[in-house]
Amino acid sequence: MRYPLLLSPAFKDYLWGGERLKTEYHKQTDLTPLAESWELSCHPDGNSRVKNGSFQGMALAEVVAQHPDFVGAGFSKGEDFPLLIKLIDAKDRLSVQVHPDDEYARRVEHSAGKTEMWYIVDCDPGATLIYGFKKALTRQELRERIESNTLMEAVNEVPVHKGDVFFIEATTLHAIGKGILIAEIQQNSNVTYRVYDYGRKDAAGRPRPLHIDKAVEVVDRRPAAPPKVSRPSLRHEGAEETLLQTCRYFTVRHVRLSGGADFSVGAESFRHLLILDGRGELRWQGEPVPFGKGDSLFLPAGLGGYRLEGNAAFLLTAAGPEEA
């Protein structure tokens, strides 16, 4: 039976993480620091699990393996789940890195590539991130900059503000800066090529590995900067929706709920709700599902109509491009 699945995340304790996901988003784990919570994940490196209903206690990957139609029309049994959605608390800056595109990732890593979108949930004053290069570099110039520790002179450092959106296509050099809390929507991949890591060492005192050969092979060395995009909002009774990004892999909207609003889930794709603030209740033909800040809900494809009541802000994500 289809019903709204309330999920618990998988957690990651990377050395640059902080404590905000525990203190502000009610994530319960002994990991310290807490860098990431994988809110919607069927990836073998970390699975979301179901907290309610008949699938309670099961990994989401098990559920969709049994019910591939929950993912959406055209999804086949045994096919990889399309998306991975995270909350990321960057108390310190992340490594400068790049992800391969689908062709390279499938050929070399036997994985999907990784195109992603960042929504800036919150950030410290003056926070920045890295996005692409200031000018075009040859492969040799890029290698020389990495080896001479001058790579940072060649990258774009971009200021960020709460509510900003960054679309990071595969092959784009990037890095999240310190003091930023991000919601990340991405392809279901964990392939990352680390280019530069500020000389940091892991818990055992060893330098964290770099992946320079692969990174130089896949990275887009042309100049790039985040595009300026107008994102008009659509207001309807009880909610205001803003389209943040649509691409071949995902469509993401920011929704501000004020009272109550009706939504639906068709057969083409599941929906995922990541609650950024506030609280409310999801009402449908079955038992209502209360939700609050930090909660993650998977709504199976074909669920049909549902209503949200309350006051909350959330990201609403579907797999694939926006419908015409």
Side-chain angles (χ1 to χ4, degrees):
M1 174 185 173
R2 289 175 172 81
Y3 69 93
L5 277 61
L6 191 61
L7 302 178
S8 60
F11 297 115
K12 301 296 178 181
D13 60 349
Y14 307 131
L15 56 80
W16 42 260
E19 296 296 321
R20 293 187 67 179
L21 297 182
K22 290 194 238 182
T23 59
E24 298 179 34
Y25 289 84
H26 317 296
K27 305 303 176 185
Q28 298 181 3
T29 175
D30 292 331
L31 294 182
T32 298
L34 179 55
E36 297 182 353
S37 58
W38 291 17
E39 299 293 334
L40 177 72
S41 176
C42 294
H43 197 281
D45 290 346
N47 249 275
S48 305
R49 305 193 79 85
V50 182
K51 297 170 63 175
N52 66 325
S54 57
F55 300 122
Q56 184 173 356
M58 292 177 63
L60 181 60
E62 296 178 78
V63 176
V64 300
Q66 293 178 13
H67 303 276
D69 56 314
F70 283 14
V71 181
F75 184 81
S76 302
K77 189 171 184 178
E79 188 177 351
D80 286 342
F81 191 79
L83 299 182
L84 175 56
I85 297 178
K86 307 173 181 176
L87 284 171
I88 300 175
D89 176 18
K91 184 179 180 181
D92 198 0
R93 55 195 173 180
L94 276 68
S95 62
V96 182
Q97 56 193 240
V98 66
H99 309 300
D101 62 17
D102 287 336
E103 185 280 326
Y104 185 94
R106 290 187 178 119
R107 176 166 51 85
V108 176
E109 307 290 354
H110 309 292
S111 167
K114 186 175 173 185
T115 286
E116 59 195 345
M117 188 208 88
W118 296 340
Y119 177 79
I120 309 299
V121 179
D122 199 9
C123 59
D124 292 345
T128 63
L129 55 78
I130 290 168
Y131 187 107
F133 296 103
K134 294 177 183 176
K135 63 178 184 178
L137 297 175
T138 66
R139 287 193 179 192
Q140 184 60 34
E141 287 171 334
L142 178 54
R143 280 188 175 276
E144 289 175 356
R145 284 197 172 274
I146 294 170
E147 292 168 0
S148 64
N149 203 31
T150 60
L151 177 66
M152 301 306 287
E153 298 173 7
V155 302
N156 284 317
E157 190 171 5
V158 182
V160 300
H161 307 89
K162 185 175 179 177
D164 284 350
V165 176
F166 295 89
F167 182 55
I168 316 290
E169 290 192 82
T171 77
T172 303
L173 190 82
H174 62 277
I176 302 171
K178 66 184 299 185
I180 304 178
L181 185 68
I182 279 178
E184 179 176 279
I185 291 83
Q186 59 160 92
Q187 289 180 261
N188 185 16
S189 170
N190 200 28
V191 178
T192 296
Y193 300 148
R194 195 179 293 132
V195 180
Y196 180 73
D197 197 36
Y198 311 97
R200 288 185 294 203
K201 298 180 180 179
D202 63 19
R206 298 168 299 201
R208 298 206 299 169
L210 302 179
H211 315 96
I212 296 171
D213 289 341
K214 289 181 176 179
V216 170
E217 190 170 355
V218 304
V219 71
D220 187 341
R221 292 175 279 103
R222 296 172 296 179
K228 302 293 184 182
V229 179
S230 174
R231 294 184 171 89
S233 295
L234 172 66
R235 291 178 173 85
H236 54 91
E237 184 181 358
E240 179 180 353
E241 296 187 38
T242 304
L243 178 64
L244 301 183
Q245 184 67 51
T246 184
C247 67
R248 61 182 294 193
Y249 303 110
F250 49 75
T251 297
V252 187
R253 287 177 169 82
H254 180 276
V255 182
R256 184 162 295 280
L257 180 70
S258 303
D262 295 319
F263 300 85
S264 66
V265 188
E268 79 288 346
S269 171
F270 67 88
R271 296 293 188 272
H272 179 260
L273 278 67
L274 179 58
I275 312 302
L276 303 177
D277 199 13
R279 60 180 52 256
E281 186 174 71
L282 186 153
R283 299 178 182 176
W284 65 300
Q285 62 182 356
E287 184 177 351
V289 181
F291 59 81
K293 182 176 180 178
D295 281 341
S296 168
L297 295 96
F298 175 82
L299 310 185
L303 181 70
Y306 65 97
R307 183 171 178 82
L308 299 178
E309 297 276 358
N311 289 279
F314 59 92
L315 297 184
L316 178 62
T317 301
E322 184 180 35
E323 296 177 47

